[in-house]
């Protein structure tokens, strides 16, 4: 099943998913609204995040093996952000959970920033 997932998604899928997650996160954070489009973006962000998390778990050993030390740290930060994102899907993102949301955002930005630098 794991090779099937890698074949279906391809090599360039993870960077594309991360780009979508970044852009959708910017929209969700900057323009909170009570409309159908916002709800659809929230749902797509969660679904793509789930798929990217699964793909990252499957590919993590290979990614870490072929990466530089800085890139490894970036990928581990992204993986931490993915883990917190999965927890946020379960517990929600209501006001009391915002510290977790901010940690999710910080880890994702730091990890992607490091990956862009390396």
């Amino acid at each position: 099943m794991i090779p099937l997932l890698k074949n279906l998604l391809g090599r360039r899928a993870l960077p594309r998913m991360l780009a979508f997650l970044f852009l959708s996160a910017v929209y969700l954070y900057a323009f909170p609204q009570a409309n159908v489009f916002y709800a659809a973006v929230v749902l797509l962000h969660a679904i793509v995040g789930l798929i990217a998390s699964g793909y990252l778990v499957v590919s993590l050993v290979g990614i870490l093996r072929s990466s530089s030390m800085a890139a490894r740290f970036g990928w581990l930060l992204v993986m931490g952000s993915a883990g917190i994102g999965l927890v946020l899907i379960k517990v929600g993102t209501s006001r009391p959970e915002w510290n977790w949301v901010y940690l999710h955002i910080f880890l994702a930005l730091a990890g992607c920033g490091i990956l862009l630098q390396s």
Side-chain angles (χ1 to χ4, degrees):
M1 181 170 133
I2 293 172
L4 177 65
L5 181 63
K6 284 185 179 182
N7 288 338
L8 286 175
L9 294 176
R11 289 192 87 151
R12 297 183 186 175
L14 189 58
R16 290 177 183 172
M17 286 187 280
L18 289 177
F20 171 79
L21 290 169
F22 175 77
L23 293 174
S24 64
V26 168
Y27 172 77
L28 293 173
Y29 187 79
F31 305 108
Q33 306 168 47
N35 60 30
V36 175
F37 182 72
Y38 186 84
V41 173
V42 168
L43 184 61
L44 281 173
H45 186 84
I47 291 170
V48 172
L50 281 169
I51 295 168
S53 297
Y55 187 77
L56 188 56
V57 166
V58 169
S59 304
L60 191 61
V61 173
I63 289 172
L64 293 179
R65 203 176 277 159
S66 65
S67 299
S68 67
M69 188 60 87
R72 288 178 188 162
F73 184 62
W75 282 115
L76 291 175
L77 288 174
V78 169
M79 190 67 190
S81 175
I84 292 172
L86 295 174
V87 170
L88 287 172
I89 290 173
K90 172 71 174 154
V91 300
T93 57
S94 60
R95 187 75 174 150
E97 310 302 336
W98 274 24
N99 287 336
W100 291 105
V101 174
Y102 290 134
L103 181 60
H104 173 66
I105 293 168
F106 174 76
L107 290 176
L109 282 175
C112 289
I114 290 170
L115 289 173
L116 287 174
Q117 291 291 321
S118 58

